[in-house]
Amino acid sequence: MNACLMLHGIGPLPPHAGADEAPYWVRRETFDTIIELMRTIPARLTFDDGNTTDVTVAFPALVKAGLKASFFIPSARIGTPGYVNEEDIRFMHEGGMEIGSHGCAHLDWTKINDAEIAHDVMQSVERLSTIIKAPVRSVAIPYGYCDRRVLAMLRKLGMSRVYSSFRGPDSENTWLVRRDCIKQPMSREEILRIFTHKPAAAEAALNLLRVWRRAGNAALWAA
Ligand SMILES: [Zn+2]
């Protein structure tokens, strides 16, 4: 039962990001704390949105520490200002990192129909597969917005692993993966609590309810 952490950008909020993204841009020290904790406590690390700090900050630090992570990239943003380009994606893949889809246009999949979800996911998967010359079959849900219909659609599209924003630790092989979002500000103690799976009781109960409402029964979670 290891924690799976979700990060976005590292460092000060860049010009391309909206003010609403500010909590998701963690300080360099926060990221360094995570790397330090990962040396002794096993955890999985994921990055959403394809910000350039994936390749300029996260990737070199991970390589230096001998760690791996997964990067989920909205394909419509590739090569636009503030986001990774094709060469960056290949470079990270060749450096041992997992490249996954984050949809194409970073849409709320609960608000569009099945055909639109299929188009958004498959277009992204095909573009990323072409870039890295290897199959891409994992996906992180934009905004974490999902329901039973969205999850059934991702199954139907053949996604081998789906990264959610439901919180809490998971066993290694679930199809739907829970993740804990690292936000700013977050103290070392708070991050350590995520690594060691100790949410407050009220928070744990709320998480259970949220998962049941939006993802349904255990069958959806199985690999
Ligand atoms: Zn995102």
Side-chain angles (χ1 to χ4, degrees), residues 119-134:
H119 180 74
D120 193 62
V121 173
M122 295 319 290
Q123 210 185 2
S124 150
V125 159
E126 279 158 24
R127 171 107 191 257
L128 291 166
S129 300
T130 304
I131 293 169
I132 65 170
K133 298 185 178 69

PDB file of all heavy atoms in Angstrom, residues 119-134:
ATOM      1  N   HIS A 119     -12.755  10.498 -28.638  1.00  0.00           N
ATOM      2  CA  HIS A 119     -11.936  11.320 -29.532  1.00  0.00           C
ATOM      3  C   HIS A 119     -10.800  11.999 -28.752  1.00  0.00           C
ATOM      4  O   HIS A 119      -9.642  11.962 -29.159  1.00  0.00           O
ATOM      5  CB  HIS A 119     -12.827  12.366 -30.206  1.00  0.00           C
ATOM      6  CG  HIS A 119     -12.080  13.258 -31.149  1.00  0.00           C
ATOM      7  ND1 HIS A 119     -11.641  12.829 -32.381  1.00  0.00           N
ATOM      8  CD2 HIS A 119     -11.673  14.549 -31.029  1.00  0.00           C
ATOM      9  CE1 HIS A 119     -11.003  13.817 -32.971  1.00  0.00           C
ATOM     10  NE2 HIS A 119     -11.000  14.872 -32.177  1.00  0.00           N
ATOM     11  N   ASP A 120     -11.154  12.580 -27.602  1.00  0.00           N
ATOM     12  CA  ASP A 120     -10.163  13.303 -26.795  1.00  0.00           C
ATOM     13  C   ASP A 120      -9.059  12.357 -26.289  1.00  0.00           C
ATOM     14  O   ASP A 120      -7.878  12.704 -26.311  1.00  0.00           O
ATOM     15  CB  ASP A 120     -10.863  13.990 -25.610  1.00  0.00           C
ATOM     16  CG  ASP A 120      -9.974  15.005 -24.917  1.00  0.00           C
ATOM     17  OD1 ASP A 120      -9.572  15.978 -25.580  1.00  0.00           O
ATOM     18  OD2 ASP A 120      -9.662  14.818 -23.726  1.00  0.00           O
ATOM     19  N   VAL A 121      -9.457  11.169 -25.860  1.00  0.00           N
ATOM     20  CA  VAL A 121      -8.485  10.216 -25.312  1.00  0.00           C
ATOM     21  C   VAL A 121      -7.627   9.611 -26.434  1.00  0.00           C
ATOM     22  O   VAL A 121      -6.396   9.616 -26.352  1.00  0.00           O
ATOM     23  CB  VAL A 121      -9.194   9.082 -24.522  1.00  0.00           C
ATOM     24  CG1 VAL A 121      -8.204   7.999 -24.109  1.00  0.00           C
ATOM     25  CG2 VAL A 121      -9.903   9.648 -23.295  1.00  0.00           C
ATOM     26  N   MET A 122      -8.278   9.117 -27.481  1.00  0.00           N
ATOM     27  CA  MET A 122      -7.543   8.376 -28.495  1.00  0.00           C
ATOM     28  C   MET A 122      -6.604   9.272 -29.324  1.00  0.00           C
ATOM     29  O   MET A 122      -5.507   8.867 -29.689  1.00  0.00           O
ATOM     30  CB  MET A 122      -8.493   7.590 -29.407  1.00  0.00           C
ATOM     31  CG  MET A 122      -9.261   6.497 -28.669  1.00  0.00           C
ATOM     32  SD  MET A 122      -8.292   5.560 -27.443  1.00  0.00           S
ATOM     33  CE  MET A 122      -7.183   4.617 -28.498  1.00  0.00           C
ATOM     34  N   GLN A 123      -7.049  10.511 -29.571  1.00  0.00           N
ATOM     35  CA  GLN A 123      -6.190  11.445 -30.290  1.00  0.00           C
ATOM     36  C   GLN A 123      -4.894  11.686 -29.502  1.00  0.00           C
ATOM     37  O   GLN A 123      -3.797  11.705 -30.061  1.00  0.00           O
ATOM     38  CB  GLN A 123      -6.952  12.760 -30.448  1.00  0.00           C
ATOM     39  CG  GLN A 123      -6.577  13.525 -31.690  1.00  0.00           C
ATOM     40  CD  GLN A 123      -7.270  14.885 -31.749  1.00  0.00           C
ATOM     41  OE1 GLN A 123      -8.005  15.274 -30.842  1.00  0.00           O
ATOM     42  NE2 GLN A 123      -7.032  15.591 -32.818  1.00  0.00           N
ATOM     43  N   SER A 124      -5.059  11.826 -28.195  1.00  0.00           N
ATOM     44  CA  SER A 124      -3.909  12.069 -27.325  1.00  0.00           C
ATOM     45  C   SER A 124      -2.988  10.846 -27.256  1.00  0.00           C
ATOM     46  O   SER A 124      -1.758  10.957 -27.374  1.00  0.00           O
ATOM     47  CB  SER A 124      -4.443  12.442 -25.936  1.00  0.00           C
ATOM     48  OG  SER A 124      -3.559  12.046 -24.944  1.00  0.00           O
ATOM     49  N   VAL A 125      -3.598   9.684 -27.079  1.00  0.00           N
ATOM     50  CA  VAL A 125      -2.832   8.438 -26.981  1.00  0.00           C
ATOM     51  C   VAL A 125      -2.036   8.199 -28.271  1.00  0.00           C
ATOM     52  O   VAL A 125      -0.855   7.826 -28.234  1.00  0.00           O
ATOM     53  CB  VAL A 125      -3.815   7.268 -26.697  1.00  0.00           C
ATOM     54  CG1 VAL A 125      -3.230   5.935 -27.078  1.00  0.00           C
ATOM     55  CG2 VAL A 125      -4.239   7.278 -25.227  1.00  0.00           C
ATOM     56  N   GLU A 126      -2.679   8.450 -29.411  1.00  0.00           N
ATOM     57  CA  GLU A 126      -1.999   8.220 -30.695  1.00  0.00           C
ATOM     58  C   GLU A 126      -0.831   9.190 -30.894  1.00  0.00           C
ATOM     59  O   GLU A 126       0.238   8.793 -31.322  1.00  0.00           O
ATOM     60  CB  GLU A 126      -3.010   8.331 -31.847  1.00  0.00           C
ATOM     61  CG  GLU A 126      -3.798   7.033 -32.006  1.00  0.00           C
ATOM     62  CD  GLU A 126      -5.133   7.217 -32.719  1.00  0.00           C
ATOM     63  OE1 GLU A 126      -5.279   8.192 -33.478  1.00  0.00           O
ATOM     64  OE2 GLU A 126      -6.032   6.376 -32.478  1.00  0.00           O
ATOM     65  N   ARG A 127      -1.054  10.453 -30.546  1.00  0.00           N
ATOM     66  CA  ARG A 127       0.022  11.448 -30.701  1.00  0.00           C
ATOM     67  C   ARG A 127       1.221  11.100 -29.811  1.00  0.00           C
ATOM     68  O   ARG A 127       2.364  11.097 -30.265  1.00  0.00           O
ATOM     69  CB  ARG A 127      -0.532  12.839 -30.345  1.00  0.00           C
ATOM     70  CG  ARG A 127       0.513  13.929 -30.257  1.00  0.00           C
ATOM     71  CD  ARG A 127       0.464  14.894 -31.419  1.00  0.00           C
ATOM     72  NE  ARG A 127       1.616  15.775 -31.462  1.00  0.00           N
ATOM     73  CZ  ARG A 127       1.584  17.055 -31.077  1.00  0.00           C
ATOM     74  NH1 ARG A 127       0.457  17.593 -30.671  1.00  0.00           N
ATOM     75  NH2 ARG A 127       2.684  17.790 -31.153  1.00  0.00           N
ATOM     76  N   LEU A 128       0.938  10.775 -28.555  1.00  0.00           N
ATOM     77  CA  LEU A 128       2.025  10.453 -27.621  1.00  0.00           C
ATOM     78  C   LEU A 128       2.743   9.169 -28.028  1.00  0.00           C
ATOM     79  O   LEU A 128       3.979   9.091 -27.959  1.00  0.00           O
ATOM     80  CB  LEU A 128       1.488  10.346 -26.189  1.00  0.00           C
ATOM     81  CG  LEU A 128       1.019  11.664 -25.553  1.00  0.00           C
ATOM     82  CD1 LEU A 128       0.200  11.405 -24.296  1.00  0.00           C
ATOM     83  CD2 LEU A 128       2.207  12.565 -25.215  1.00  0.00           C
ATOM     84  N   SER A 129       1.989   8.164 -28.492  1.00  0.00           N
ATOM     85  CA  SER A 129       2.603   6.901 -28.936  1.00  0.00           C
ATOM     86  C   SER A 129       3.534   7.149 -30.118  1.00  0.00           C
ATOM     87  O   SER A 129       4.615   6.559 -30.201  1.00  0.00           O
ATOM     88  CB  SER A 129       1.523   5.893 -29.354  1.00  0.00           C
ATOM     89  OG  SER A 129       0.664   5.615 -28.290  1.00  0.00           O
ATOM     90  N   THR A 130       3.113   8.015 -31.027  1.00  0.00           N
ATOM     91  CA  THR A 130       3.943   8.347 -32.191  1.00  0.00           C
ATOM     92  C   THR A 130       5.232   9.030 -31.732  1.00  0.00           C
ATOM     93  O   THR A 130       6.316   8.729 -32.232  1.00  0.00           O
ATOM     94  CB  THR A 130       3.162   9.272 -33.154  1.00  0.00           C
ATOM     95  OG1 THR A 130       1.947   8.618 -33.495  1.00  0.00           O
ATOM     96  CG2 THR A 130       3.949   9.571 -34.416  1.00  0.00           C
ATOM     97  N   ILE A 131       5.115   9.926 -30.767  1.00  0.00           N
ATOM     98  CA  ILE A 131       6.292  10.668 -30.287  1.00  0.00           C
ATOM     99  C   ILE A 131       7.310   9.734 -29.633  1.00  0.00           C
ATOM    100  O   ILE A 131       8.501   9.793 -29.932  1.00  0.00           O
ATOM    101  CB  ILE A 131       5.870  11.785 -29.299  1.00  0.00           C
ATOM    102  CG1 ILE A 131       5.074  12.870 -30.031  1.00  0.00           C
ATOM    103  CG2 ILE A 131       7.091  12.400 -28.600  1.00  0.00           C
ATOM    104  CD1 ILE A 131       4.398  13.878 -29.112  1.00  0.00           C
ATOM    105  N   ILE A 132       6.835   8.847 -28.763  1.00  0.00           N
ATOM    106  CA  ILE A 132       7.793   7.998 -28.033  1.00  0.00           C
ATOM    107  C   ILE A 132       8.047   6.658 -28.732  1.00  0.00           C
ATOM    108  O   ILE A 132       8.848   5.854 -28.267  1.00  0.00           O
ATOM    109  CB  ILE A 132       7.378   7.757 -26.552  1.00  0.00           C
ATOM    110  CG1 ILE A 132       6.067   6.953 -26.455  1.00  0.00           C
ATOM    111  CG2 ILE A 132       7.266   9.079 -25.792  1.00  0.00           C
ATOM    112  CD1 ILE A 132       5.751   6.496 -25.025  1.00  0.00           C
ATOM    113  N   LYS A 133       7.330   6.421 -29.836  1.00  0.00           N
ATOM    114  CA  LYS A 133       7.472   5.159 -30.591  1.00  0.00           C
ATOM    115  C   LYS A 133       7.242   3.941 -29.696  1.00  0.00           C
ATOM    116  O   LYS A 133       7.972   2.948 -29.751  1.00  0.00           O
ATOM    117  CB  LYS A 133       8.840   5.078 -31.269  1.00  0.00           C
ATOM    118  CG  LYS A 133       9.076   6.182 -32.286  1.00  0.00           C
ATOM    119  CD  LYS A 133      10.404   5.987 -33.010  1.00  0.00           C
ATOM    120  CE  LYS A 133      10.638   7.057 -34.060  1.00  0.00           C
ATOM    121  NZ  LYS A 133      10.874   8.398 -33.481  1.00  0.00           N
ATOM    122  N   ALA A 134       6.236   4.040 -28.859  1.00  0.00           N
ATOM    123  CA  ALA A 134       5.852   2.938 -27.958  1.00  0.00           C
ATOM    124  C   ALA A 134       4.393   3.158 -27.570  1.00  0.00           C
ATOM    125  O   ALA A 134       3.913   4.290 -27.595  1.00  0.00           O
ATOM    126  CB  ALA A 134       6.743   2.943 -26.713  1.00  0.00           C
TER     127      ALA A 134
END
